[in-house]
Amino acid sequence: VEERNFDIRKHLLEYDDVLNEQRTFIYHQRDSILEDSNLKQRVLDTAEEYIGSYIDEFTASAKRNREEAQTQTALEFKTRFGYQVSEEDLEGFLKNPEESKNTILERFKQDLAQKEALAGKENLNMFIRFQYLQAIDKKWLDHLENLESLREAVYLRSYGQKNPLTEYKLEGFDIFYQMLDDIRLEIASRVILVKVKTEGEAA
């Protein structure tokens, strides 16, 4: 009985190790955001990554069905960044994707520079920081619930000759990294889409 109880405690600790590792990482990220005085660059880095990703997806999909690829790509850019993809853009995605990415990114840089000029650098940074912290706190709580559900689910997989702990680690980190990506994209999208109104403008 003692040996069995020891095994149970050991496995519980191993499951907790996964959670603690993720908690340490997320708190470190939170602290770095609190200290970062140039969060605008994080937004631009994320935008650059996703612009490149959307262009890559378009060039791959266009070989199968160009019309469908155009519709999907235009929707992604419009929804995420409020950017209207032109025919010129689509041609550029196929002929010179790197140049096209840099052209769109430059427009986003100019947009953020204008927002910074209107709101002030510190105010813009405070806004981005608030968005990050709010998203991290909310999604972390959701993630804890997802991990708890996953822990219960993987026990059933032992019947299929799979190691529950291994399954928990693999899927636990998959959903963790997906959460981090979701946060980055959500904040980049929100900051690029937001409109800065000066005093006297209609709300």
Side-chain angles (χ1 to χ4, degrees):
V1 172
E2 278 300 317
E3 185 176 343
R4 180 176 177 276
N5 289 340
F6 174 78
D7 286 340
I8 291 173
R9 288 195 297 272
K10 179 183 175 185
H11 277 89
L12 287 174
L13 285 173
E14 288 173 328
Y15 281 103
D16 286 343
D17 284 344
V18 174
L19 176 57
N20 288 334
E21 186 176 342
Q22 293 182 2
R23 180 184 288 114
T24 299
F25 184 88
I26 206 78
Y27 283 2
H28 174 74
Q29 289 296 304
R30 206 177 186 282
D31 288 342
S32 69
I33 286 165
L34 285 168
E35 296 169 4
D36 196 337
S37 61
N38 188 30
L39 290 168
K40 179 180 71 172
Q41 190 57 49
R42 293 186 187 231
V43 170
L44 289 170
D45 289 343
T46 300
E48 181 177 11
E49 179 182 331
Y50 278 91
I51 292 168
S53 174
Y54 294 155
I55 291 174
D56 288 344
E57 288 174 12
F58 171 73
T59 54
S61 300
K63 295 173 183 176
R64 298 188 295 272
N65 187 327
R66 175 157 177 163
E67 186 175 339
E68 184 180 315
Q70 288 179 185
T71 301
Q72 182 60 36
T73 302
L75 180 62
E76 291 284 5
F77 274 101
K78 183 69 175 176
T79 303
R80 294 297 187 184
F81 302 121
Y83 181 81
Q84 190 68 50
V85 174
S86 66
E87 280 295 328
E88 185 180 352
D89 288 326
L90 294 169
E91 288 299 322
F93 293 167
L94 295 172
K95 294 177 180 177
N96 197 330
E98 189 64 24
E99 183 179 325
S100 295
K101 181 185 75 174
N102 291 334
T103 298
I104 296 173
L105 183 63
E106 188 57 40
R107 293 182 188 178
F108 290 171
K109 285 181 180 179
Q110 292 173 6
D111 175 69
L112 288 184
Q114 289 174 355
K115 288 171 181 173
E116 188 175 82
L118 287 170
K121 182 175 181 179
E122 184 55 33
N123 285 334
L124 180 62
N125 206 61
M126 286 175 62
F127 172 76
I128 299 172
R129 180 181 292 125
F130 176 77
Q131 300 301 319
Y132 263 118
L133 296 180
Q134 188 179 53
I136 288 172
D137 292 346
K138 180 183 182 304
K139 288 186 180 293
W140 175 247
L141 291 176
D142 292 341
H143 180 66
L144 292 178
E145 292 183 6
N146 290 336
L147 283 183
E148 186 59 36
S149 298
L150 177 62
R151 185 186 293 204
E152 294 172 5
V154 294
Y155 279 120
L156 300 175
R157 300 182 193 178
S158 59
Y159 296 109
Q161 307 303 312
K162 292 184 178 180
N163 184 309
L165 181 60
T166 300
E167 295 284 301
Y168 179 77
K169 287 180 178 179
L170 290 173
E171 292 194 29
F173 276 101
D174 280 347
I175 61 174
F176 179 69
Y177 292 133
Q178 184 61 55
M179 177 194 70
L180 296 178
D181 286 342
D182 288 347
I183 291 172
R184 292 171 59 236
L185 181 56
E186 179 180 315
I187 302 311
S189 173
R190 196 175 299 173
V191 173
I192 290 172
L193 287 172
V194 74
K195 302 298 182 186
V196 176
K197 294 185 180 297
T198 56
E199 190 174 352
E201 284 190 88

